[in-house]
Amino acid sequence: MQDALQQKVFADFQKDTAKHEMTILQEEGAYRHIRFGEKGSSFYAINIATWPGYLAVTGDMGDFVFTRVRDMFEFFRGKDNINPGYWGEKLVAEPRGSEYGKKWSEEAFKRDVHNYLEGNLEPLEDLESEDEIETNKAIREEITESLKFITHKYEADDFIANFDEHDFQFDSFYEYDCTEYTHQFLWICYAIVEVIKRYDAAKAEQAA
């Protein structure tokens, strides 16, 4: 089942590759070189190369290298949907700043701060004391105001490390990783699935 981010990336992928064609440039067993792109254009074009134990993708979406089994087409073949969690673990090379297909995300960070508050700060409606209500409001307002100015990881780390409003701190926030799969990684995952489907269809047609 796709989450909202995967649905968006899949829609983008379909639009970006609407005129793409698969071309087998070289093939010898597990050694392959395949181009997936629009004829006469390099826009959103990618190259997929395989050799025993590896599959590499290069192009506009960045460079990724996966390893798992001797023929990596077998690893990705026959999938109805992508599996970014498992596939990300098979990466041995990816763009700078990415780890297992993920990067720190401002949206994920602010969502995790909200989740932390839900688990560590009493809801206002559960409070009876006026002092408790005012303290609770002050904490929430300070956090809300601070988040408006956080757009980078180093700002987020500084906020988490130093926030101390009415003795409320983010002591156990380390449990949240504040990352999400990158658009590029998810796009590449969809591309691999699509290329293998087209490759298999071409081979079946040849055999017929």
Side-chain angles (χ1 to χ4, degrees):
M1 183 176 179
Q2 295 176 320
D3 62 18
L5 176 60
Q6 289 184 41
Q7 290 175 4
K8 180 184 183 306
V9 175
F10 183 59
D12 289 343
F13 170 76
Q14 290 182 307
K15 180 182 65 176
D16 296 339
T17 62
K19 297 182 180 179
H20 276 35
E21 299 177 359
M22 183 209 68
T23 306
I24 301 174
L25 300 175
Q26 185 176 358
E27 180 178 33
E28 186 177 341
Y31 296 88
R32 306 181 186 90
H33 180 193
I34 296 172
R35 184 182 187 275
F36 184 54
E38 186 176 345
K39 196 170 184 178
S41 171
S42 62
F43 200 52
Y44 288 118
I46 63 169
N47 285 278
I48 291 182
T50 65
W51 62 98
Y54 295 88
L55 181 148
V57 187
T58 62
D60 288 346
M61 287 296 171
D63 303 334
F64 295 83
V65 180
F66 300 83
T67 184
R68 178 62 176 86
V69 297
R70 184 180 188 281
D71 185 352
M72 287 299 290
F73 269 28
E74 289 297 325
F75 178 74
F76 292 107
R77 178 173 278 127
K79 304 298 188 293
D80 293 326
N81 196 14
I82 63 174
N83 188 344
Y86 183 53
W87 296 358
E89 294 174 356
K90 310 312 172 191
L91 284 167
V92 291
E94 54 192 305
R96 180 181 299 177
S98 175
E99 186 173 9
Y100 304 118
K102 291 177 142 187
K103 279 188 177 182
W104 182 89
S105 159
E106 176 186 348
E107 181 179 341
F109 169 72
K110 292 179 178 179
R111 180 182 64 240
D112 287 343
V113 167
H114 174 75
N115 291 336
Y116 186 89
L117 287 179
E118 290 296 308
N120 293 275
L121 193 62
E122 289 289 331
L124 282 169
E125 57 270 23
D126 290 350
L127 301 176
E128 297 180 0
S129 162
E130 192 63 35
D131 286 343
E132 288 181 327
I133 291 173
E134 289 304 313
T135 296
N136 191 296
K137 283 183 177 179
I139 293 170
R140 293 178 184 276
E141 288 171 2
E142 181 63 26
I143 290 173
T144 298
E145 188 63 24
S146 297
L147 290 181
K148 293 178 182 178
F149 303 98
I150 295 175
T151 57
H152 298 284
K153 186 178 185 301
Y154 70 87
E155 295 169 337
D157 291 343
D158 182 68
F159 166 77
I160 294 299
N162 296 301
F163 185 85
D164 188 353
E165 180 73 17
H166 293 283
D167 293 327
F168 182 86
Q169 300 173 335
F170 288 86
D171 293 332
S172 59
F173 193 75
Y174 62 86
E175 297 174 1
Y176 299 85
D177 68 8
C178 304
T179 64
E180 63 182 5
Y181 292 106
T182 67
H183 181 281
Q184 292 87 345
F185 174 65
L186 295 176
W187 195 101
I188 287 296
C189 288
Y190 285 118
I192 292 170
V193 170
E194 180 64 22
V195 166
I196 292 176
K197 283 181 180 178
R198 296 195 188 196
Y199 173 87
D200 287 344
K203 289 299 177 182
E205 187 177 340
Q206 287 178 6

